[in-house]
Amino acid sequence: MPETIEKVSIQLKVNGKSHSVSVEPRTLLVELLREHLDLTGTHVGCDTTYCGACTVLMNGAAVKSCTMFAVQADGAEITTVEGLEKDGQLHPIQRAFGDAYGLQCGYCTPGFMLSAMQLLAHNQQPSDHDIRKAIAGNTCRCTGYQNIFKAIQLAAQNMKGAR
Amino acid sequence: MSNLTRGLDRLYIRPKTLDEAAVLLAGEGGQVLSGGTDFYPALGDQLPRGRVVDISGLRELRGISADAAHTRIGGLTTWSEIIGAPLPRGFDGLKSAAREVGSVQIQNRGTVAGNLCNASPAADGVPPLLALDAEVELVSRVGKRRLPLADFIVGNRKTVRRNDELLTAVLVPRRLDDAASAFLKLGARRYLVISISMVAAVVQLDGSGRVAEVHVAVGSCSVTARRLSKLERDLIGAPVSGLATRVTPEYLSPLSPIDDVRATARYRLDASLTLVQRALNYCVGNS
């Protein structure tokens, strides 16, 4: 390995804000978010692409930020949990997770909410199977999933009502 | 001096065109990165070996198109794109498999070329593409070659891709556009699971409702997914009724499953027999 690792300049938008940053190629997207941009709402659970706590949206599609290199997000728009609320108002998905008790310790919750975001952006009336499929890549060790499932159902109803 | 020069080499390069990528790979070479879903996890606690050539910016390798003879799936097509694409009926099995690749997050990033080049014995994309008689296109600086997928993957995480080559596309013959197809996967649970066995089937009926052509591929039961050639030959001309009952255990002899943490070899064979029967039933029930 070379002594000095060259940095790569990338530009990306995170939660609507443009950033120009210089990162080592080995920097993971989640490290860029948490350690360079101080957006610590995105969590690292397993670091092996299994658990989904690190899920963010990249150009609207859910991805695991602990597996992706930050350089691969060059030119992309990223949404993290910090980008869900608007003007101090929680997003309907965030409210539903509270109202339906869709969390206990909360560690996995940002990832679940962003997986729900991708689902509900494309599917206003998800079936039970659609919801289970959408969160199959997210692991929770507290809730037993039933209330997470209910929270996403509730969010779907509320978002439909709001349209 | 040479150490100093090496020290200044770029560890990460993202070529913009296929030509540029081919030149880079023909020169110093490097590890190819596309969706990257299994790149970082596979490193464990190691650093990447040498340079990384990120091909995710190559537009030439994206998208699905068709000419008279083939449907062409660009190597960088993601599994989510396969699920969302308007493809003929013969691809229903491939779409089912696409929905089983990891989870949504993995389907959004993982590519067809990555799944094939990674060559895991449990790669969900391989049995349906084998059953579709798919070919792969490989491009290097010195030229282009095409070979059957069945000859491309030769072992556990082993392919015949040379280090200077990229898998640019998968080609599926249009002849099977109207065939019925299915993909069934057995794991220890419903979602996000590595297969114990998986089966892809493609069935083309003739005008009188008999089997004109049938392809069956089984994955996770050998170092590479395998077609059941004798079964395929013996089923030609068979009537739809009772088709699945013609599949007897002897036809699974091309498989060589292992005992591992997920299942015993015996269980794998037994489960595969049932999956083959179900996949054929599914195909002819919908024909």
Side-chain angles (χ1 to χ4, degrees), chain B residues 139-163:
Chain B
V139 171
S140 70
R141 198 181 175 185
V142 292
K144 188 186 281 193
R145 59 175 176 146
R146 238 161 80 172
L147 67 163
L149 175 60
D151 298 337
F152 176 69
I153 301 175
V154 291
N156 181 4
R157 297 189 178 267
K158 280 202 189 79
T159 71
V160 298
R161 183 182 76 84
R162 297 193 314 261
N163 288 337

mmCIF file of all heavy atoms in Angstrom, chain B residues 139-163:
data_model
loop_
_atom_site.group_PDB
_atom_site.id
_atom_site.type_symbol
_atom_site.label_atom_id
_atom_site.label_comp_id
_atom_site.label_asym_id
_atom_site.label_seq_id
_atom_site.Cartn_x
_atom_site.Cartn_y
_atom_site.Cartn_z
ATOM 1 N N VAL B 139 -15.685 -8.244 -23.113
ATOM 2 C CA VAL B 139 -14.949 -7.284 -23.937
ATOM 3 C C VAL B 139 -13.616 -6.957 -23.285
ATOM 4 O O VAL B 139 -13.547 -6.751 -22.073
ATOM 5 C CB VAL B 139 -15.774 -5.987 -24.148
ATOM 6 C CG1 VAL B 139 -14.937 -4.897 -24.806
ATOM 7 C CG2 VAL B 139 -17.019 -6.278 -24.986
ATOM 8 N N SER B 140 -12.583 -6.953 -24.106
ATOM 9 C CA SER B 140 -11.273 -6.499 -23.635
ATOM 10 C C SER B 140 -10.695 -5.592 -24.706
ATOM 11 O O SER B 140 -11.301 -5.383 -25.754
ATOM 12 C CB SER B 140 -10.339 -7.690 -23.397
ATOM 13 O OG SER B 140 -9.994 -8.257 -24.644
ATOM 14 N N ARG B 141 -9.494 -5.104 -24.436
ATOM 15 C CA ARG B 141 -8.870 -4.203 -25.409
ATOM 16 C C ARG B 141 -8.621 -4.923 -26.727
ATOM 17 O O ARG B 141 -8.641 -4.308 -27.790
ATOM 18 C CB ARG B 141 -7.544 -3.694 -24.833
ATOM 19 C CG ARG B 141 -7.053 -2.478 -25.539
ATOM 20 C CD ARG B 141 -5.732 -2.022 -24.975
ATOM 21 N NE ARG B 141 -5.215 -0.912 -25.761
ATOM 22 C CZ ARG B 141 -4.037 -0.373 -25.570
ATOM 23 N NH1 ARG B 141 -3.252 -0.842 -24.618
ATOM 24 N NH2 ARG B 141 -3.633 0.621 -26.316
ATOM 25 N N VAL B 142 -8.401 -6.240 -26.679
ATOM 26 C CA VAL B 142 -8.086 -6.958 -27.919
ATOM 27 C C VAL B 142 -9.324 -7.460 -28.645
ATOM 28 O O VAL B 142 -9.231 -7.978 -29.750
ATOM 29 C CB VAL B 142 -7.120 -8.149 -27.673
ATOM 30 C CG1 VAL B 142 -5.756 -7.637 -27.260
ATOM 31 C CG2 VAL B 142 -7.666 -9.115 -26.628
ATOM 32 N N GLY B 143 -10.485 -7.347 -28.047
ATOM 33 C CA GLY B 143 -11.668 -7.775 -28.787
ATOM 34 C C GLY B 143 -12.805 -8.216 -27.910
ATOM 35 O O GLY B 143 -12.824 -7.988 -26.701
ATOM 36 N N LYS B 144 -13.747 -8.864 -28.574
ATOM 37 C CA LYS B 144 -14.999 -9.230 -27.937
ATOM 38 C C LYS B 144 -15.188 -10.724 -28.136
ATOM 39 O O LYS B 144 -14.857 -11.256 -29.182
ATOM 40 C CB LYS B 144 -16.101 -8.466 -28.684
ATOM 41 C CG LYS B 144 -17.480 -8.557 -28.075
ATOM 42 C CD LYS B 144 -18.509 -7.890 -28.985
ATOM 43 C CE LYS B 144 -18.503 -6.368 -28.865
ATOM 44 N NZ LYS B 144 -19.692 -5.758 -29.494
ATOM 45 N N ARG B 145 -15.696 -11.427 -27.116
ATOM 46 C CA ARG B 145 -16.053 -12.823 -27.343
ATOM 47 C C ARG B 145 -17.366 -13.116 -26.650
ATOM 48 O O ARG B 145 -17.765 -12.401 -25.722
ATOM 49 C CB ARG B 145 -14.956 -13.774 -26.858
ATOM 50 C CG ARG B 145 -14.623 -13.672 -25.392
ATOM 51 C CD ARG B 145 -13.594 -14.748 -24.996
ATOM 52 N NE ARG B 145 -13.202 -14.590 -23.588
ATOM 53 C CZ ARG B 145 -12.909 -15.614 -22.791
ATOM 54 N NH1 ARG B 145 -12.967 -16.850 -23.236
ATOM 55 N NH2 ARG B 145 -12.566 -15.386 -21.532
ATOM 56 N N ARG B 146 -18.033 -14.148 -27.149
ATOM 57 C CA ARG B 146 -19.312 -14.526 -26.581
ATOM 58 C C ARG B 146 -19.279 -15.995 -26.259
ATOM 59 O O ARG B 146 -18.776 -16.792 -27.054
ATOM 60 C CB ARG B 146 -20.400 -14.279 -27.632
ATOM 61 C CG ARG B 146 -21.456 -13.329 -27.157
ATOM 62 C CD ARG B 146 -22.210 -12.778 -28.296
ATOM 63 N NE ARG B 146 -23.224 -13.716 -28.764
ATOM 64 C CZ ARG B 146 -24.134 -13.408 -29.681
ATOM 65 N NH1 ARG B 146 -24.129 -12.203 -30.209
ATOM 66 N NH2 ARG B 146 -25.019 -14.287 -30.058
ATOM 67 N N LEU B 147 -19.759 -16.364 -25.100
ATOM 68 C CA LEU B 147 -19.808 -17.786 -24.794
ATOM 69 C C LEU B 147 -21.025 -18.092 -23.939
ATOM 70 O O LEU B 147 -21.575 -17.199 -23.286
ATOM 71 C CB LEU B 147 -18.507 -18.281 -24.142
ATOM 72 C CG LEU B 147 -18.107 -17.812 -22.766
ATOM 73 C CD1 LEU B 147 -17.051 -18.744 -22.207
ATOM 74 C CD2 LEU B 147 -17.558 -16.406 -22.824
ATOM 75 N N PRO B 148 -21.478 -19.363 -23.986
ATOM 76 C CA PRO B 148 -22.633 -19.722 -23.178
ATOM 77 C C PRO B 148 -22.333 -19.500 -21.692
ATOM 78 O O PRO B 148 -21.214 -19.766 -21.246
ATOM 79 C CB PRO B 148 -22.827 -21.213 -23.466
ATOM 80 C CG PRO B 148 -22.121 -21.461 -24.760
ATOM 81 C CD PRO B 148 -20.983 -20.491 -24.800
ATOM 82 N N LEU B 149 -23.343 -19.031 -20.952
ATOM 83 C CA LEU B 149 -23.182 -18.848 -19.506
ATOM 84 C C LEU B 149 -22.720 -20.151 -18.853
ATOM 85 O O LEU B 149 -21.925 -20.150 -17.925
ATOM 86 C CB LEU B 149 -24.514 -18.380 -18.894
ATOM 87 C CG LEU B 149 -24.558 -18.250 -17.378
ATOM 88 C CD1 LEU B 149 -23.537 -17.244 -16.873
ATOM 89 C CD2 LEU B 149 -25.961 -17.854 -16.918
ATOM 90 N N ALA B 150 -23.224 -21.276 -19.398
ATOM 91 C CA ALA B 150 -22.871 -22.587 -18.840
ATOM 92 C C ALA B 150 -21.365 -22.837 -18.915
ATOM 93 O O ALA B 150 -20.814 -23.580 -18.093
ATOM 94 C CB ALA B 150 -23.626 -23.692 -19.579
ATOM 95 N N ASP B 151 -20.677 -22.228 -19.893
ATOM 96 C CA ASP B 151 -19.227 -22.406 -20.005
ATOM 97 C C ASP B 151 -18.459 -21.298 -19.310
ATOM 98 O O ASP B 151 -17.235 -21.361 -19.194
ATOM 99 C CB ASP B 151 -18.804 -22.413 -21.487
ATOM 100 C CG ASP B 151 -19.438 -23.569 -22.242
ATOM 101 O OD1 ASP B 151 -19.819 -24.561 -21.590
ATOM 102 O OD2 ASP B 151 -19.562 -23.457 -23.481
ATOM 103 N N PHE B 152 -19.182 -20.245 -18.882
ATOM 104 C CA PHE B 152 -18.525 -19.082 -18.277
ATOM 105 C C PHE B 152 -18.196 -19.335 -16.805
ATOM 106 O O PHE B 152 -17.101 -19.052 -16.334
ATOM 107 C CB PHE B 152 -19.419 -17.847 -18.423
ATOM 108 C CG PHE B 152 -18.882 -16.621 -17.742
ATOM 109 C CD1 PHE B 152 -17.744 -15.999 -18.234
ATOM 110 C CD2 PHE B 152 -19.505 -16.096 -16.614
ATOM 111 C CE1 PHE B 152 -17.236 -14.862 -17.607
ATOM 112 C CE2 PHE B 152 -19.000 -14.970 -15.980
ATOM 113 C CZ PHE B 152 -17.860 -14.354 -16.476
ATOM 114 N N ILE B 153 -19.168 -19.881 -16.073
ATOM 115 C CA ILE B 153 -18.932 -20.163 -14.653
ATOM 116 C C ILE B 153 -18.421 -21.588 -14.537
ATOM 117 O O ILE B 153 -19.095 -22.528 -14.963
ATOM 118 C CB ILE B 153 -20.224 -19.974 -13.836
ATOM 119 C CG1 ILE B 153 -20.742 -18.542 -13.998
ATOM 120 C CG2 ILE B 153 -19.983 -20.280 -12.358
ATOM 121 C CD1 ILE B 153 -22.073 -18.287 -13.318
ATOM 122 N N VAL B 154 -17.224 -21.735 -13.994
ATOM 123 C CA VAL B 154 -16.606 -23.065 -14.011
ATOM 124 C C VAL B 154 -16.364 -23.638 -12.621
ATOM 125 O O VAL B 154 -15.915 -24.778 -12.482
ATOM 126 C CB VAL B 154 -15.272 -23.057 -14.797
ATOM 127 C CG1 VAL B 154 -15.542 -22.844 -16.279
ATOM 128 C CG2 VAL B 154 -14.325 -21.996 -14.267
ATOM 129 N N GLY B 155 -16.675 -22.891 -11.573
ATOM 130 C CA GLY B 155 -16.449 -23.431 -10.233
ATOM 131 C C GLY B 155 -16.956 -22.469 -9.189
ATOM 132 O O GLY B 155 -17.577 -21.447 -9.513
ATOM 133 N N ASN B 156 -16.703 -22.824 -7.920
ATOM 134 C CA ASN B 156 -17.099 -21.979 -6.807
ATOM 135 C C ASN B 156 -16.331 -20.653 -6.906
ATOM 136 O O ASN B 156 -15.122 -20.619 -6.707
ATOM 137 C CB ASN B 156 -16.785 -22.703 -5.498
ATOM 138 C CG ASN B 156 -17.198 -21.906 -4.277
ATOM 139 O OD1 ASN B 156 -17.793 -20.822 -4.403
ATOM 140 N ND2 ASN B 156 -16.896 -22.420 -3.114
ATOM 141 N N ARG B 157 -17.045 -19.591 -7.238
ATOM 142 C CA ARG B 157 -16.463 -18.264 -7.437
ATOM 143 C C ARG B 157 -15.366 -18.244 -8.496
ATOM 144 O O ARG B 157 -14.412 -17.470 -8.422
ATOM 145 C CB ARG B 157 -15.956 -17.696 -6.105
ATOM 146 C CG ARG B 157 -17.116 -17.505 -5.124
ATOM 147 C CD ARG B 157 -16.750 -16.754 -3.875
ATOM 148 N NE ARG B 157 -17.929 -16.581 -3.032
ATOM 149 C CZ ARG B 157 -18.723 -15.520 -3.064
ATOM 150 N NH1 ARG B 157 -18.485 -14.537 -3.890
ATOM 151 N NH2 ARG B 157 -19.769 -15.444 -2.262
ATOM 152 N N LYS B 158 -15.502 -19.133 -9.482
ATOM 153 C CA LYS B 158 -14.530 -19.178 -10.581
ATOM 154 C C LYS B 158 -15.243 -19.022 -11.920
ATOM 155 O O LYS B 158 -16.197 -19.728 -12.220
ATOM 156 C CB LYS B 158 -13.808 -20.533 -10.600
ATOM 157 C CG LYS B 158 -12.689 -20.663 -9.611
ATOM 158 C CD LYS B 158 -11.730 -21.779 -10.067
ATOM 159 C CE LYS B 158 -10.719 -22.103 -8.996
ATOM 160 N NZ LYS B 158 -11.264 -22.968 -7.939
ATOM 161 N N THR B 159 -14.726 -18.097 -12.732
ATOM 162 C CA THR B 159 -15.234 -17.953 -14.095
ATOM 163 C C THR B 159 -14.048 -17.967 -15.043
ATOM 164 O O THR B 159 -12.896 -17.926 -14.610
ATOM 165 C CB THR B 159 -15.986 -16.619 -14.294
ATOM 166 O OG1 THR B 159 -15.033 -15.555 -14.277
ATOM 167 C CG2 THR B 159 -17.030 -16.393 -13.210
ATOM 168 N N VAL B 160 -14.340 -18.001 -16.350
ATOM 169 C CA VAL B 160 -13.251 -17.945 -17.329
ATOM 170 C C VAL B 160 -12.952 -16.510 -17.754
ATOM 171 O O VAL B 160 -12.205 -16.290 -18.698
ATOM 172 C CB VAL B 160 -13.555 -18.828 -18.569
ATOM 173 C CG1 VAL B 160 -13.683 -20.284 -18.156
ATOM 174 C CG2 VAL B 160 -14.805 -18.349 -19.298
ATOM 175 N N ARG B 161 -13.531 -15.531 -17.058
ATOM 176 C CA ARG B 161 -13.221 -14.137 -17.376
ATOM 177 C C ARG B 161 -11.739 -13.871 -17.122
ATOM 178 O O ARG B 161 -11.230 -14.147 -16.032
ATOM 179 C CB ARG B 161 -14.057 -13.185 -16.506
ATOM 180 C CG ARG B 161 -13.848 -11.708 -16.825
ATOM 181 C CD ARG B 161 -14.664 -10.806 -15.906
ATOM 182 N NE ARG B 161 -14.095 -10.701 -14.578
ATOM 183 C CZ ARG B 161 -13.112 -9.844 -14.238
ATOM 184 N NH1 ARG B 161 -12.614 -9.012 -15.129
ATOM 185 N NH2 ARG B 161 -12.647 -9.826 -13.012
ATOM 186 N N ARG B 162 -11.064 -13.339 -18.128
ATOM 187 C CA ARG B 162 -9.675 -12.942 -17.929
ATOM 188 C C ARG B 162 -9.658 -11.599 -17.191
ATOM 189 O O ARG B 162 -10.636 -10.854 -17.225
ATOM 190 C CB ARG B 162 -8.960 -12.771 -19.282
ATOM 191 C CG ARG B 162 -8.847 -14.041 -20.122
ATOM 192 C CD ARG B 162 -7.835 -13.813 -21.270
ATOM 193 N NE ARG B 162 -8.056 -12.544 -21.946
ATOM 194 C CZ ARG B 162 -8.713 -12.410 -23.101
ATOM 195 N NH1 ARG B 162 -9.214 -13.464 -23.709
ATOM 196 N NH2 ARG B 162 -8.876 -11.222 -23.651
ATOM 197 N N ASN B 163 -8.536 -11.312 -16.528
ATOM 198 C CA ASN B 163 -8.474 -10.082 -15.729
ATOM 199 C C ASN B 163 -8.617 -8.812 -16.564
ATOM 200 O O ASN B 163 -8.948 -7.756 -16.041
ATOM 201 C CB ASN B 163 -7.159 -10.024 -14.950
ATOM 202 C CG ASN B 163 -7.155 -11.030 -13.821
ATOM 203 O OD1 ASN B 163 -8.224 -11.445 -13.350
ATOM 204 N ND2 ASN B 163 -5.973 -11.464 -13.411
#
